[in-house]
């Protein structure tokens, strides 16, 4: 049985169409991320699944049960909010115990469960602190423990990491994922951060203007974006505007590139080049046979830690090339270079598809 | 002259006009009445020639009418503030949801607040008139004997109380409503998912989150309630007898009927002391509250 099925969900606020025809099926134990720019309807989908918003049209099934008219507290979902939403007047332990206290469970059982949960989110010893005595990361762990306290069947997380600083965010990212796998809990996660989506998810749902653009594994989304928007939103890319010939040759300015993956046969087209797909050398002798070759001049070199990103000006367009730091051997701004790529890599889309 | 000092000087120059004005209208009268309260200063002999020390204060404390007024005032303040708060909170909670005609309710609520207490007093005096008042007329229709709203010593106190609540409750409602509207909605949703009922949400979330607003509203209303004067003046003049003789009206009587300016000044300072004590006490509660994280 599917853990969650959302079928043709529509939701408008006044004349804002927040979600349009959203359909998604989730397996039990799966971690699915809704990814898209701010305002694309991610939160609305999540809140409709939680039961805080009523669908204009469409169905929501939670473990096979049609849930459109079931109130939030009866849906068996746990939710973590972006701004923690802890009860400021209650201690960590009281926050976590809230749902159990509401259900009037026996004190010793509550105490035991709170202890387990604190251990799970690595906060043992902080049970008597108040939220204002915790760091952002700790507060979000408490929120997570509170959401898990009643053993929900589905966990909903709405940008739980976006209010935290980079270091904590990265750490918690891994922890949430490990915890989710350990508990095997079906999780629907919302973020606008592509890196978060790529690192945490089993599958990613990319959305734009309330419409699903693509559903797929992180690898599929990154390697095989379905349109320029997805290519632009997930990962870094350079875009070249040109023309396709016979579905094989991409003409850009006075260059001709051989390509193998084109969605266009003839006519105006947009080529997507990932920085990692491009290679860069000083002399033409080092270019493998069959590569597409461009000449350019280095305009900027930025060091990103594990990789070096080089901005190359080619025919008045800036194209990004990335290479592992250890393979970087000292290009400088102003160097004349040769950039090449295999015909297997670039994707070509019809021109009318916009990246924004 | 360093930049820092020059900036500070500029600050003082800008603040000076308002400081002078404030000093002239607040500090001077306050200081003057404080010194009056230590001398035999009356309208007949307005001079600082005879220093009495605390004699004016002693006289006030030994006056049984002073103690009556203090008691009436405390009773009045505690009752109006608690009634206004309880009713006001309920109304504010009712208005803080998706209902139709919100604008209409707000307009109705604001009306008594913008009316002058003297006008309110006069209107209610007509409504409460034992023979001509519309209130007794309606009571008569359902077979209830006319009530002497303002003429009966016990009834008069409650009537004044009711009129004050009628006029001042809007302030309480609007203040509390402003607080309710600005509460974050996520804690409520988190509690909803956890299965909390509306009542549980009220006690576990709304009231704790509203504490600072509640205390501010109660403090402000307490201070204002101590100063209630115009309503009493119009409705009962402290009577019948001294049953509605609140301290501010008592002081007025001492000054302009008893012409005993010095003792009135001393009593004013006692009133000020009582209010200050209460406010300090309430502020202690506020500041001992933990900081609420939004
Ligand atoms: N309660 C609401 N009232 C009116 N408009 C809303 C409401 N909630 C969301 N919207 C609108 O719906 C769209 C989608 O919002 P949301 O789901 O919050 O996007 P996201 O979470 O992806 O940033 C936005 O245009 C937003 O302004
Ligand atoms: Mg959102």
């Amino acid at each position: 049985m599917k853990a969650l099925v959302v079928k043709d969900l529509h939701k408008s606020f006044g004349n804002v169409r927040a979600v349009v025809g959203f359909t998604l099926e989730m397996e039990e134990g799966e971690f699915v991320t809704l990814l898209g720019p701010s305002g694309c309807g991610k939160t609305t989908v999540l809140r409709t699944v939680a039961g805080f918003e009523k669908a204009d049209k469409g169905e929501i099934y939670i473990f096979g049960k049609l849930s459109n008219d079931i109130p939030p507290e009866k849906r068996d979902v746990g939710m973590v909010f972006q701004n923690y939403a802890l009860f400021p007047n209650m201690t960590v332990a009281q926050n976590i115990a809230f749902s159990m206290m509401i259900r009037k469970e026996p004190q010793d059982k509550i105490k035991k469960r709170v202890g387990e949960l604190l251990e799970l989110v690595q906060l043992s010893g902080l049970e008597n602190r108040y939220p204002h005595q915790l760091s952002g990361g700790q507060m979000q762990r408490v929120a997570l423990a509170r959401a898990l306290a009643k053993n929900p069947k589905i966990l909903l997380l709405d940008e739980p990491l976006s209010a935290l600083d980079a270091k904590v965010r990265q750490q918690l990212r891994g922890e949430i994922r490990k915890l989710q796998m350990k508990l095997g809990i079906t999780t629907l996660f919302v973020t606008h951060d592509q890196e978060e989506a790529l690192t945490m998810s089993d599958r990613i749902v990319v959305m734009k203007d309330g419409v699903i653009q693509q559903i797929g594994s992180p690898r599929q989304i990154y390697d095989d974006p379905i349109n320029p928007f997805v290519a632009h939103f997930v990962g870094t890319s350079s875009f070249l505007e040109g023309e396709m010939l016979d579905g094989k040759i991409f003409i850009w300015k006075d260059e001709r590139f051989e390509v193998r993956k084109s969605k266009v046969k003839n006519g105006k087209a947009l080529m997507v080049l990932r920085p990692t797909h491009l290679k860069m050398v000083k002399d033409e002798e080092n270019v493998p046979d069959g590569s597409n070759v461009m000449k350019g001049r280095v305009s900027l070199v930025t060091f990103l830690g594990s990789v070096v990103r080089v901005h190359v000006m080619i025919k008045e367009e800036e194209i990004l090339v990335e290479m592992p730091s250890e393979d970087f051997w000292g290009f400088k701004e102003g160097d004349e270079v040769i950039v090449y790529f295999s015909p297997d890599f670039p994707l070509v889309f019809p021109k009318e598809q916009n990246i924004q | 002259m360093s930049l820092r000092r020059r900036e500070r000087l500029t600050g003082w120059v800008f603040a000076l006009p308002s400081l002078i004005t404030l000093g002239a209208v607040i500090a001077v009268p306050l200081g003057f009445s404080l010194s009056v309260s230590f001398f035999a200063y009356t309208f007949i002999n307005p001079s600082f020639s005879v220093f009495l020390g605390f004699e004016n204060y002693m006289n006030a404390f030994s006056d049984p009418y002073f103690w009556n007024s203090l008691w009436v005032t405390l009773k009045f303040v505690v009752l109006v503030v608690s009634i206004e708060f309880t009713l006001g909170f309920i109304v504010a909670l009712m208005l803080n949801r998706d209902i139709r005609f919100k604008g209409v309710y707000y307009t109705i609520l604001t009306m008594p607040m913008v009316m002058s207490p003297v006008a309110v007093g006069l209107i209610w005096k007509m409504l409460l008139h034992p023979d001509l008042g519309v209130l007794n007329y309606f009571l008569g229709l359902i077979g209830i004997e006319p009530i002497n709203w303002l003429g009966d010593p016990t009834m008069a106190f409650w009537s004044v109380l009711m009129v004050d609540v009628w006029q001042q409750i809007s302030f309480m409602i609007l203040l509390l409503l402003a607080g309710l509207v600005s509460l974050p909605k996520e804690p409520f949703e988190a509690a909803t998912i956890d299965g909390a009922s509306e009542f549980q949400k009220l006690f576990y979330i709304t009231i704790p989150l509203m504490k600072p607003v509640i205390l501010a509203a109660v403090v402000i209303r307490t201070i204002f309630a101590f100063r209630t004067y115009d309503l009493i003046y119009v409705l009962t003049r402290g009577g019948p007898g001294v049953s509605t003789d609140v301290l501010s009206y008592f002081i007025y009587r001492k000054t302009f009927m008893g012409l005993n300016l010095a003792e009135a000044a001393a009593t004013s300072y006692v009133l000020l002391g009582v209010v200050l004590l209460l406010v300090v006490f309430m502020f202690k509660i506020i500041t001992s509250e933990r900081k609420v994280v939004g």
Side-chain angles (χ1 to χ4, degrees), chain A residues 78-93:
Chain A
M79 186 152 172
V80 175
F81 300 83
Q82 181 173 352
N83 44 8
Y84 320 124
L86 295 179
F87 309 132
N89 51 306
M90 297 183 202
T91 63
V92 167

Side-chain angles (χ1 to χ4, degrees), chain A residues 47 52 73 77 79 81 83 85 87-90 98-99 101-102 130 132 146 150, chain B residues 185-187 189-196 200 204-205 208-209 290-293:
Chain A
R47 290 172 55 81
F52 292 124
E73 64 271 21
V77 297
M79 186 152 172
F81 300 83
N83 44 8
F87 309 132
N89 51 306
M90 297 183 202
F98 190 76
S99 65
M101 182 203 72
I102 294 292
Y130 283 91
H132 72 276
R146 185 181 63 184
K150 59 171 197 175
Chain B
K185 72 175 199 292
E186 285 87 356
E189 295 187 337
T192 304
I193 284 203
D194 282 350
Q200 284 168 325
Y204 290 121
I205 305 168
L209 286 180
R290 290 183 320 276
K291 268 190 93 88
V292 172
V293 189

Side-chain angles (χ1 to χ4, degrees), chain B residues 94-110:
Chain B
M94 295 197 299
L95 287 174
N96 185 35
R97 33 184 72 230
D98 286 323
I99 46 167
R100 301 207 292 162
F101 312 124
K102 249 190 201 177
V104 178
Y105 296 133
Y106 287 174
T107 313
I108 295 173
L109 274 176
T110 328

Side-chain angles (χ1 to χ4, degrees), chain B residues 6-234:
Chain B
R6 204 149 57 196
E7 270 182 12
R8 205 177 305 158
L9 195 76
T10 315
W12 278 108
V13 171
F14 277 114
L16 214 57
S18 51
L19 284 179
I20 291 173
T21 319
L22 279 178
V25 301
I26 293 178
V28 171
L30 265 176
F32 181 76
S33 60
L34 185 64
S35 32
V36 164
S37 73
F38 290 107
F39 287 90
Y41 188 106
T42 60
F43 279 132
I44 296 154
N45 181 19
S47 79
F48 289 104
S49 51
V50 186
F51 181 74
L52 293 179
F54 282 96
E55 205 180 305
N56 285 322
Y57 289 84
M58 290 304 153
N59 285 343
F61 286 133
S62 60
D63 180 354
Y65 287 118
F66 164 78
W67 291 107
N68 169 70
S69 288
L70 187 61
W71 171 237
V72 170
T73 308
L74 286 177
K75 213 164 53 166
F76 179 80
V77 169
V78 169
L79 282 170
V80 287
V81 173
S82 26
I83 294 173
E84 282 170 19
F85 170 70
T86 315
L87 284 180
F89 201 47
I90 292 171
V91 175
L93 284 171
M94 295 197 299
L95 287 174
N96 185 35
R97 33 184 72 230
D98 286 323
I99 46 167
R100 301 207 292 162
F101 312 124
K102 249 190 201 177
V104 178
Y105 296 133
Y106 287 174
T107 313
I108 295 173
L109 274 176
T110 328
M111 296 251 248
M113 212 169 65
V114 297
M115 284 162 75
S116 139
V118 173
V120 169
L122 287 171
I123 292 167
W124 275 98
K125 203 165 181 177
M126 298 305 288
L127 296 176
L128 294 172
H129 194 282
D131 307 320
L132 309 170
V134 73
L135 222 61
N136 275 349
Y137 169 74
F138 281 121
L139 288 181
L141 288 184
I142 54 169
I144 294 176
E145 289 289 300
I147 294 171
N148 197 355
W149 296 104
L150 296 169
D152 175 78
T154 319
M155 208 57 222
F157 178 80
W158 293 104
S159 302
V160 170
L161 199 85
M162 180 188 71
V163 175
D164 189 73
V165 169
W166 180 87
Q167 181 175 25
Q168 304 291 348
I169 197 167
S170 334
F171 175 78
M172 196 63 114
I173 294 172
L174 291 181
L175 213 62
L176 292 172
L177 193 58
L180 286 174
V181 168
S182 63
L183 291 185
K185 72 175 199 292
E186 285 87 356
F188 291 92
E189 295 187 337
T192 304
I193 284 203
D194 282 350
S197 67
E198 289 302 314
F199 262 105
Q200 284 168 325
K201 278 184 244 174
L202 178 66
F203 285 107
Y204 290 121
I205 305 168
T206 312
I207 291 176
L209 286 180
M210 281 285 287
K211 232 171 213 168
V213 179
I214 291 173
L215 281 161
V218 168
V219 166
I220 296 173
R221 264 310 289 146
T222 304
I223 295 173
F224 285 178
F226 266 108
R227 302 191 327 206
T228 308
Y229 160 78
D230 18 23
L231 209 58
I232 302 278
Y233 179 84
V234 175

Side-chain angles (χ1 to χ4, degrees), chain A residues 38-39 41-44 82 158-159 190:
Chain A
S38 176
K42 309 177 295 286
T43 299
T44 307
Q82 181 173 352
D158 191 357
E159 311 219 9
V190 162

